[in-house]
């Protein structure tokens, strides 16, 4: 059944059929092989979408849209500039730090790339950073957006595998910081080696001063309260991840309308429509993936896969490495959301059978598939970055390689030292 499913899925995808419809056709193929009634498909699909935790996704997507329109991203960039803009590779570091702030509010790599890229790629080019290098930093740092809480992939993983979303959020904090610092180190050495970032106008880069740090902090402080509200509220048991999304959306809307006043009531229909379109795509995928998960479970695919892997090796680390190689290869040909929804229910039972914590595997899986967002030919973040920087995909791929290797090195570090991921969640238990 697994080979039938994967074979038909990739056949349909390669022929240009959208993933969600390819998934539906693969489900029909499995149901035909199992002699099941086709009415199971719509019934299971609707029940898969009828999930209260899924409401967190449109809320956080709405936050990302508001930030793109409401001047919040610009204030976060200014604050990041005040902290690290004076270091060698200054605007590159600003880009990464701003992505850490932005990702902690929107939870979306694509929203991060569009907002931060639009603000920082033009001034980076003015300061003699090559356009492809500027886009490479933007795209690679956007991966932080799906690691630091809140994280839309963590929400999806938590829902489809019945894993605590709160613990997944907490597990993403340390890995997200490690990724950010590692990318900043890569930026420092690459800019120093290639002598990027000449200052065309000395007034373009301000020196580090406590006054400027304080002034930019005051401007960004209200926006920065959003991730603290989300994380603090979930940790304190004040609200669930779904309710945290509603709180974040409400606060972001108040800031954009009444504090920063860069969004008007007339802008709201466009913002809501963009949110609704993205949400519809994700919900359609969720519903179809829930059908796949049910069918493969009935066909005992996870059990058979676990047997196959344990026959290859009895080492937990070995099985984890094999699984990560599989996920990395999948990332080349499939976007994060469908890959997460399809593979998480199949792979998690295998991981649990060899003693791997579901929360830990959720973080590792998200990071691995997140790296797929910046690998061709399907890396969606790559295409957003090329559009913002107005460059070719080939040029961007060449420039992103050092950052791609850095992300893979961090993934290897987290596989070797699981306690880096599980330290904070273990404190909650």
């Amino acid at each position: 059944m697994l080979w039938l499913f994967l074979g038909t899925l990739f056949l349909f995808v390669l022929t240009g059929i959208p993933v969600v419809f390819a998934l539906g056709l693969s489900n029909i193929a499995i149901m035909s092989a199992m002699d099941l009634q086709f009415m199971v498909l719509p019934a299971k699909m609707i029940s898969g979408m009828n999930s209260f935790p899924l409401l967190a996704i449109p809320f956080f997507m709405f936050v990302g849209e508001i930030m793109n329109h409401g001047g919040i991203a610009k204030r976060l960039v200014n604050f990041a500039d005040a902290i690290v803009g004076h270091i060698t590779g200054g605007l590159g570091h600003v880009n990464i730090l701003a992505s850490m702030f932005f990702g902690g509010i929107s939870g979306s790599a694509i929203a991060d790339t569009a907002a931060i890229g639009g603000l920082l790629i033009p001034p980076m080019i003015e300061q003699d950073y090559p356009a492809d290098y500027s886009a490479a930093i933007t795209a690679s740092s956007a991966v932080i957006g799906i690691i630091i809480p809140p994280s839309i992939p963590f929400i999806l993983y938590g829902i489809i595998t019945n894993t605590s979303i709160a613990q997944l959020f907490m597990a993403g904090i340390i890995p997200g910081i490690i990724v950010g610092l590692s990318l900043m180190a890569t930026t420092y050495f690459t800019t120093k080696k290639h002598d990027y970032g000449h200052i065309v106008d000395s007034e373009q880069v301000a020196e580090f001063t406590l006054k400027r740090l304080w002034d930019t902090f005051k401007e960004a402080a209200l926006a920065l309260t959003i991730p603290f509200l989300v994380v603090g509220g979930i940790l304190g048991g004040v609200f669930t991840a779904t309710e945290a999304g509603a709180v974040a959306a409400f606060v972001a809307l108040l800031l954009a309308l009444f504090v920063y006043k860069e969004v008007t009531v007339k802008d709201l229909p466009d913002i809501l429509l963009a949110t609704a379109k993205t949400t519809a795509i994700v919900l359609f995928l969720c519903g179809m993936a829930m059908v796949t998960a049910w069918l493969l479970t009935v066909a005992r695919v996870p059990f058979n896969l676990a047997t196959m892997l344990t026959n290859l090796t009895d080492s937990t680390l070995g099985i984890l490495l094999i699984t990560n190689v599989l996920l990395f290869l999948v990332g080349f040909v499939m976007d994060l959301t469908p890959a997460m929804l399809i593979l998480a229910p199949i792979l998690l039972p295998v991981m649990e059978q060899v003693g791997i914590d579901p929360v830990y595997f959720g973080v590792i899986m998200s990071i691995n598939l997140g790296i797929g967002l910046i690998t061709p030919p399907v890396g969606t973040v790559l295409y957003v970055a090329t559009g913002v920087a107005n460059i070719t995909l080939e040029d961007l791929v060449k420039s992103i390689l050092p950052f791609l290797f850095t992300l893979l090195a961090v993934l290897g570090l987290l596989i070797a030292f699981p306690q880096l991921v599980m330290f904070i969640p273990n404190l909650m238990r």
Side-chain angles (χ1 to χ4, degrees), residues 64-342:
E65 292 292 335
I66 283 286
M67 289 181 69
N68 282 339
H69 291 80
I72 297 175
K74 184 177 180 181
R75 286 166 173 81
L76 295 175
V77 166
N78 290 339
F79 179 48
D81 190 27
I83 298 172
V84 295
H86 60 286
I87 304 171
T88 300
L91 280 183
H93 300 310
V94 172
N95 198 321
I96 295 164
L97 189 59
S99 290
M100 293 174 75
F101 292 151
F102 194 102
I105 299 174
S106 74
S108 167
I110 292 175
D112 186 338
T113 307
I116 303 301
L119 286 169
L120 279 174
I121 289 177
M124 287 183 75
I125 294 171
E126 284 180 20
Q127 290 190 16
D128 202 30
Y129 291 88
D132 52 341
Y133 182 80
S134 305
I137 292 178
T138 305
S140 56
S141 63
V143 176
I144 303 171
I146 61 171
I147 306 171
I148 291 182
S151 162
I152 291 173
F154 285 174
I155 295 170
L156 291 173
Y157 176 90
I159 292 166
I160 204 164
T161 63
N162 199 27
T163 303
S164 167
I165 296 173
Q167 290 202 1
L168 286 165
F169 278 7
M170 296 306 103
I173 294 174
I174 293 176
I177 293 170
I178 292 172
V179 168
L181 293 175
S182 301
L183 290 174
M184 290 175 80
T186 305
T187 300
Y188 179 87
F189 288 112
T190 51
T191 51
K192 196 159 186 139
K193 178 181 177 181
H194 298 290
D195 198 23
Y196 292 155
H198 296 291
I199 309 304
V200 179
D201 180 353
S202 60
E203 293 183 0
Q204 287 181 316
V205 175
E207 293 182 359
F208 176 82
T209 64
L210 290 175
K211 181 181 184 305
R212 180 166 178 258
L213 182 64
W214 175 245
D215 289 342
T216 53
F217 172 73
K218 286 191 294 184
E219 284 285 310
L222 289 174
L224 289 170
T225 60
I226 296 175
F228 288 105
L229 274 174
V230 170
V231 174
I234 293 172
L235 271 179
V238 180
F239 38 66
T240 64
T242 305
E243 293 159 349
V247 170
F250 180 69
V251 172
L253 183 61
L254 287 181
L255 291 178
L257 283 175
F258 303 114
V259 179
Y260 300 139
K261 297 180 181 178
E262 296 189 21
V263 167
T264 65
V265 175
K266 291 180 180 179
D267 297 323
L268 288 180
D270 288 337
I271 292 172
L272 290 168
L273 182 60
T275 304
K277 285 179 178 178
T278 313
T279 302
I281 294 168
V282 173
L283 283 178
F284 198 3
L285 273 168
C286 280
M288 198 61 77
M290 290 292 189
V291 179
T292 305
W294 180 78
L295 287 171
L296 294 179
T297 302
V298 170
R300 293 174 58 83
V301 167
F303 173 79
N304 294 332
L305 184 61
T307 303
M308 184 183 77
L309 286 175
T310 50
N311 286 338
L312 288 174
T313 174
D314 56 0
S315 164
T316 300
L317 180 60
I319 291 174
L320 190 58
L321 288 172
I322 292 170
T323 305
N324 272 277
V325 171
L326 168 67
L327 291 172
F328 183 67
L329 294 175
V330 167
F332 279 94
V333 295
M334 192 176 291
D335 200 17
L336 186 150
T337 301
M340 174 71 75
L341 292 170
I342 295 167

